[in-house]
Structure formats: structure tokens, C-alpha cells
Amino acid sequence: MARVPKAPVAQLDRVPDYESVGCAFKSRRARSLDAQTGNPQIMQITQMKFRRSRGLRNDADGKTAKDAKVLEHERWMRAALAEAEAAAAEGEVPVGCVVVYEGRIIGRGHNRTEALNDPTAHAEIVAIGAAATALENWRLGGTTVYVTIEPCLMCAGALTLARPDLVVYGARDPKFGCLGSQYDIARDNRFNHELKVVEGVLAAEAGGLLKEFFRSRRVGKRGLSRAPGAQGAVPCFPGSGSEHEIAWDTR
């Protein structure tokens, strides 16, 4: 009886897979000619590969665009953080704000309630006032407002009236915040302008400034209260100032 040569195992394993797509063991050149001449099975495979590669490319483009937007928000938020640091240096609660229009800052500000003895002198109010002056228009269409801490009711209302395209803030204010914490004016459709909001940009850094400010102020009060015969000594009790530190009584 004639001896039948055995095919390599790897080749036998590949036969069904190749036959299922109609390629058998054709060379790359033969398959390319089939694709050019309109072999439907080859055309289908080519289209599938093209759709997959295009999908991967679109996903990559989308991720790149998202990353670029995050970097842009962080860039301007750092400018707002610089304003917050200036407030802290002046003994004010460290909240800062900048208004950006066409790639440049047209308004900036930080808390000045102590310096001016003005309860309305919040960072957002100062910054949007400066921006309105720069644009010679109280409507701030086309601008983005960056503020380190979630705006209070007064500032959220002022922002609604000013009508910027976007408001970006860092850390939430659980005691006074009105863009998601105590209240969310952006979701209240009874107003004639709906704010678009992005939150959480450099939140840890913004919150860290507040925590350090209240910690140092509390330590200063304790030191003053312990000084014997100190003029204007401030009584200090266990836990004094904790409400400010935890709830960030920023205003």
C-alpha cells in the first residue's frame, strides 16, 4: 500500500480558517489581486479592517481633544489659584477668579471683603466686573470663568446675569456652594440663562489652600489666646474653627 505523506500539524490547523474566508493558501499578491478585481469575500475583509482602523483613529483623536481641553482648563485654573494665593497673602480667604476671552485673561480678582469692608467683594464679583469693563459690555458671552471654589448664591446669581459661555470651578463649598452643593442654580430652568458648568479642576490644590489658611488662622488664634496679658487675646476652645475648616466657610 502506498504511503500517504502527512501534512504538518500547523498547516492542518490553518486550513479551516483560511478556507472560511476563501483565501486558502494564496499568496499576499494573489489576495491583493482578488481585492482589486472585486472578490466579495476579500472586499468584506478589507472593509472590516478599514472600519476598525478608522474607529481606533477616531478614538485616539477624541482622547487627544479631551486631554487638550483638560490641559487648557488647568492652565487657566492655575491663574485663578495665583489670585487665591494673593488673597491669602493679604489675610483674605483664598478664593481667586479669572475670566478668559479668546485665549487671554480680561478680568481677574480675589476676595477683598476684609480690605474693603464689603460683603459683596468676592473674587467672582471683582473678576466679572473687570471683564465687563474690558469688553464694555455687561454680557460676557464668549467668555469662560474660572474660580477656585464653587460660587456662593450671590456669585452664582451674578454669573447667571453675566451669561458667560462656561463656568469652571475647583473644589466644592459644602456650606455655601450654589452650583451643585447647597443648591444648583445651573439646573434651575426658571431663569432666562442656563449656566454650563465644569467642576473639579485642580480641586485638591484649591481645597488645600483653604485648609492651610484656616489651619494657620486657628493656630494663630490659639497662640494669641495663650500669651499672658496679650492685648485683645482671643478665647480658644477645643475644636474652635473646625466648622470653618470642614465646611470651608469661604465667605
Side-chain angles (χ1 to χ4, degrees):
M1 183 175 62
R3 186 177 179 182
V4 179
K6 295 181 179 181
V9 174
Q11 183 177 342
L12 291 174
D13 290 342
R14 295 168 63 190
V15 169
D17 184 53
Y18 274 80
E19 291 293 349
S20 64
V21 296
C23 292
F25 292 103
K26 293 181 179 179
S27 66
R28 180 182 298 177
R29 176 176 175 80
R31 291 198 298 272
S32 176
L33 289 173
D34 282 343
Q36 295 175 12
T37 55
N39 185 318
Q41 290 177 315
I42 302 301
M43 293 295 291
Q44 182 181 6
I45 295 170
T46 304
Q47 291 170 2
M48 290 172 62
K49 290 181 177 179
F50 174 73
R51 284 195 296 268
R52 181 174 180 275
S53 63
R54 183 174 57 182
L56 292 174
R57 186 168 59 251
N58 290 341
D59 290 344
D61 291 344
K63 186 176 185 299
T64 301
K66 184 178 180 181
D67 291 344
K69 181 57 68 175
V70 169
L71 290 174
E72 181 183 4
H73 286 334
E74 290 183 351
R75 171 193 175 190
W76 299 119
M77 185 61 73
R78 293 196 186 281
L81 284 168
E83 289 293 321
E85 290 170 354
E90 297 170 8
E92 302 276 359
V93 176
V95 180
C97 180
V98 297
V99 182
V100 176
Y101 178 71
E102 294 183 348
R104 61 188 180 93
I105 295 174
I106 61 170
R108 62 174 73 232
H110 54 265
N111 274 1
R112 302 203 65 204
T113 54
E114 300 293 339
L116 301 178
N117 289 316
D118 182 356
T120 70
H122 290 190
E124 300 93 320
I125 302 298
V126 175
I128 64 178
T133 299
L135 292 177
E136 298 183 344
N137 192 339
W138 60 269
R139 296 180 180 87
L140 300 184
T143 67
T144 299
V145 178
Y146 293 86
V147 58
T148 57
I149 302 298
E150 180 184 1
C152 68
L153 182 60
M154 175 184 71
C155 295
L159 289 166
T160 302
L161 293 174
R163 305 172 187 176
D165 285 1
L166 182 66
V167 176
V168 181
Y169 71 84
R172 282 199 170 198
D173 183 349
K175 189 171 183 180
F176 288 109
C178 286
L179 284 181
S181 293
Q182 287 290 346
Y183 172 56
D184 194 349
I185 197 171
R187 294 181 178 273
D188 194 331
N189 57 15
R190 292 173 295 178
F191 298 102
N192 64 349
H193 178 73
E194 181 178 343
L195 287 176
K196 294 181 180 179
V197 179
V198 172
E199 66 172 280
V201 177
L202 300 182
E205 295 184 32
L209 280 175
L210 282 171
K211 287 182 178 180
E212 177 59 26
F213 174 81
F214 289 120
R215 186 197 65 79
S216 61
R217 188 171 73 169
R218 188 171 65 252
V219 170
K221 285 183 178 180
R222 287 175 179 170
L224 183 61
S225 67
R226 293 170 182 168
Q231 295 294 322
V234 179
C236 184
F237 304 95
S240 175
S242 62
E243 179 184 3
H244 294 287
E245 182 178 12
I246 296 172
W248 294 348
D249 187 357
T250 58
R251 314 298 183 176

